[in-house]
Amino acid sequence: MNVPTVQRTRTHGPLGLILAVVMLLPAAPATADSQHELLLFPSVDTFDTFSESDPQVKDSFVRATLDLLYSYSTPHIRFLAEYVLSTEESELERLKVGWMWRDDVTLWMGRTHTTSKHWTSEYHHGQYLQTSITRPSLEEWEDESGPIPSHVTGLSLDVRHSLQNDAAVNWVIAAGLAPKFVDGELEPFDLLDPVSDHDLSLNFKLSYKPREFEMMQFGVLSSWNDINVDSASSPSLADLSQIEQFTIGAFVDWHWEDLRLIASYVHFDIALDYLDRTVDDDFELGYVQLEYSVGEDFTFFGRSDNGFGEDWSPYLRLLPAFVSHRHMLGVRWDLTRNHALTVEVADTAQQAIDTDHEYFKEVRLQWSAVF
């Protein structure tokens, strides 16, 4: 939970079965032609607010999370499964199988992370992997008032073109089932509890890397999402039947020795289809995060989440926990190779429903690790 709001807990009974299937997939021992790996990303974080514009905003929590990431590969087959367990939810995040036609061309099938969100495709759910505790509001998960789908179930094609001087161009195109809009949040298709009434999602990402196998890159991304609405799930959705969402934007992830810049800016073009009218909506959202490393142990960072035209967006008004603005500073201390402590403070504006915004300052502390 990245904003003070009531979370809807999702649990899935077949967790034990799913994990058993994942562990048994590579029945034969790993050989030179195959390998498998299980990574555990535990984290514990705390959150509190102060200086609230509305006393009801006051909130605090302590949350423990375990992200299980399993992968198995042969020269032509890739398999990946990711399951997140926390004190608030239990959810299958990714389950996909890939076929490598060549070393630089892979076709994936299953539930994947949306390719049109750079932060999500780089860090996934592993808190240890990202420097900051919070995610940019543009990149937030669906069940935390994220404005763009984070999960799509379908097909994706990943192609890499190697260039001269060790550079590369990478493009990914994906098509699958879009989420539904239910009671103030986007709800993706659930492989463990499949239901119908999910429409089409198309996603595209094109990136250029000056050094093929390093993270430094920049590029463009876009998506089209046809989102069906459960009008009966909330009074605010009465008579709203469908949301058509188009996004196009750019991103950069760049390094200069000890300095790193991560930024993205996305334009939204949205049509809200009511029974008797269509409401058009367009706005921009973006973020800029700077990180500065001092030796190998400490990283100082700051981020600004902002936009243009988002304050009065009819679409964002349907996401009451969406963070419209956040100006944040923090520091991460890597205690050992596998453990880190991070602290953040931020000045935050939350979208809210019946008010212009709800303002509060927040402080967060997190321990994260990888095993």
Side-chain angles (χ1 to χ4, degrees), residues 114 116 148-149 151-155 174-179 198-203 223-227 245:
T114 307
S116 57
I148 308 177
H151 301 87
V152 172
T153 301
L155 298 172
L177 297 173
H198 288 263
D199 222 314
L200 179 65
S201 176
L202 301 174
N203 295 268
S223 70
W224 168 265
N225 299 292
D226 220 349
I227 302 168
Q245 181 190 83

Side-chain angles (χ1 to χ4, degrees), residues 313-333:
S313 162
Y315 171 67
L316 293 179
R317 286 290 178 183
L318 302 176
L319 301 167
F322 176 74
V323 173
S324 303
H325 312 284
R326 177 187 278 131
H327 306 293
M328 173 269 289
L329 292 173
V331 59
R332 168 173 166 142
W333 175 26

Side-chain angles (χ1 to χ4, degrees), residues 86-101:
S86 79
T87 51
E88 296 177 353
E89 66 177 349
S90 168
E91 188 170 6
L92 176 66
E93 296 295 347
R94 286 187 289 169
L95 185 66
K96 61 180 187 175
V97 177
W99 175 61
M100 291 191 66
W101 181 38

Side-chain angles (χ1 to χ4, degrees), residues 18-31 34-38 70-74 77 79-81:
I18 293 295
L19 293 179
V21 170
V22 167
M23 300 304 179
L24 291 174
L25 257 170
T31 66
S34 68
Q35 58 183 359
H36 56 93
E37 186 174 28
L38 176 65
Y70 175 82
S71 63
Y72 173 68
S73 63
T74 71
I77 300 296
F79 172 81
L80 186 142

Side-chain angles (χ1 to χ4, degrees), residues 150-171:
S150 300
H151 301 87
V152 172
T153 301
L155 298 172
S156 64
L157 182 64
D158 190 328
V159 180
R160 185 182 74 252
H161 296 286
S162 298
L163 305 176
Q164 295 180 349
N165 301 323
D166 297 326
V169 172
N170 189 193
W171 59 269

Side-chain angles (χ1 to χ4, degrees), residues 277-293:
R277 69 193 188 281
T278 297
V279 176
D280 294 324
D281 187 15
D282 65 273
F283 55 90
E284 283 82 40
L285 295 174
Y287 62 90
V288 176
Q289 178 163 313
L290 283 173
E291 303 177 3
Y292 180 71
S293 299

Side-chain angles (χ1 to χ4, degrees), residues 64-358:
T65 303
L66 177 61
D67 179 28
L68 299 93
L69 183 64
Y70 175 82
S71 63
Y72 173 68
S73 63
T74 71
H76 295 289
I77 300 296
R78 298 287 187 271
F79 172 81
L80 186 142
E82 183 177 25
Y83 206 102
V84 171
L85 295 162
S86 79
T87 51
E88 296 177 353
E89 66 177 349
S90 168
E91 188 170 6
L92 176 66
E93 296 295 347
R94 286 187 289 169
L95 185 66
K96 61 180 187 175
V97 177
W99 175 61
M100 291 191 66
W101 181 38
R102 302 196 307 256
D103 289 343
D104 54 0
V105 178
T106 305
L107 177 66
W108 291 96
M109 177 180 66
R111 175 172 162 127
T112 66
H113 283 151
T114 307
T115 60
S116 57
K117 299 175 71 172
H118 172 66
W119 189 285
T120 300
S121 61
E122 290 299 308
Y123 297 122
H124 310 294
H125 293 263
Q127 284 295 122
Y128 180 82
L129 298 176
Q130 63 187 46
T131 304
S132 61
I133 299 173
T134 56
R135 306 169 66 84
S137 54
L138 172 63
E139 309 270 4
E140 195 53 271
W141 301 114
E142 298 109 331
D143 59 355
E144 299 193 7
S145 284
I148 308 177
S150 300
H151 301 87
V152 172
T153 301
L155 298 172
S156 64
L157 182 64
D158 190 328
V159 180
R160 185 182 74 252
H161 296 286
S162 298
L163 305 176
Q164 295 180 349
N165 301 323
D166 297 326
V169 172
N170 189 193
W171 59 269
V172 184
I173 186 169
L177 297 173
K180 295 191 300 182
F181 199 94
V182 182
D183 192 20
E185 67 181 47
L186 296 168
E187 189 173 282
F189 181 81
D190 191 341
L191 288 172
L192 301 184
D193 185 20
V195 295
S196 59
D197 203 26
H198 288 263
D199 222 314
L200 179 65
S201 176
L202 301 174
N203 295 268
F204 175 75
K205 180 179 181 180
L206 174 67
S207 57
Y208 170 79
K209 294 185 175 183
R211 289 184 286 275
E212 184 171 358
F213 298 106
E214 296 185 11
M215 291 191 301
M216 192 160 64
Q217 58 184 300
F218 64 87
V220 295
L221 30 78
S222 183
S223 70
W224 168 265
N225 299 292
D226 220 349
I227 302 168
N228 292 327
V229 178
D230 185 351
S231 303
S233 63
S234 171
S236 64
L237 303 178
D239 300 328
L240 179 60
S241 61
Q242 195 168 47
I243 300 172
E244 296 178 6
Q245 181 190 83
F246 172 73
T247 69
I248 185 168
F251 71 92
V252 61
D253 190 344
W254 214 253
H255 301 253
W256 299 272
E257 296 184 353
D258 298 326
L259 185 66
R260 182 182 184 184
L261 167 68
I262 310 171
S264 184
Y265 198 74
V266 174
H267 172 78
F268 289 73
D269 193 344
I270 295 176
L272 304 172
D273 293 331
Y274 291 86
L275 296 181
D276 58 349
R277 69 193 188 281
T278 297
V279 176
D280 294 324
D281 187 15
D282 65 273
F283 55 90
E284 283 82 40
L285 295 174
Y287 62 90
V288 176
Q289 178 163 313
L290 283 173
E291 303 177 3
Y292 180 71
S293 299
V294 180
E296 297 182 355
D297 298 334
F298 291 94
T299 302
F300 296 88
F301 58 90
R303 188 180 68 242
S304 178
D305 296 358
N306 222 315
F308 182 78
E310 80 286 357
D311 286 339
W312 301 104
S313 162
Y315 171 67
L316 293 179
R317 286 290 178 183
L318 302 176
L319 301 167
F322 176 74
V323 173
S324 303
H325 312 284
R326 177 187 278 131
H327 306 293
M328 173 269 289
L329 292 173
V331 59
R332 168 173 166 142
W333 175 26
D334 285 273
L335 296 85
T336 68
R337 181 180 178 184
N338 297 337
H339 298 262
L341 284 177
T342 309
V343 62
E344 281 185 17
V345 293
D347 189 1
T348 303
Q350 186 173 293
Q351 193 73 16
I353 300 177
D354 300 323
T355 62
D356 293 344
H357 287 90
E358 292 173 343

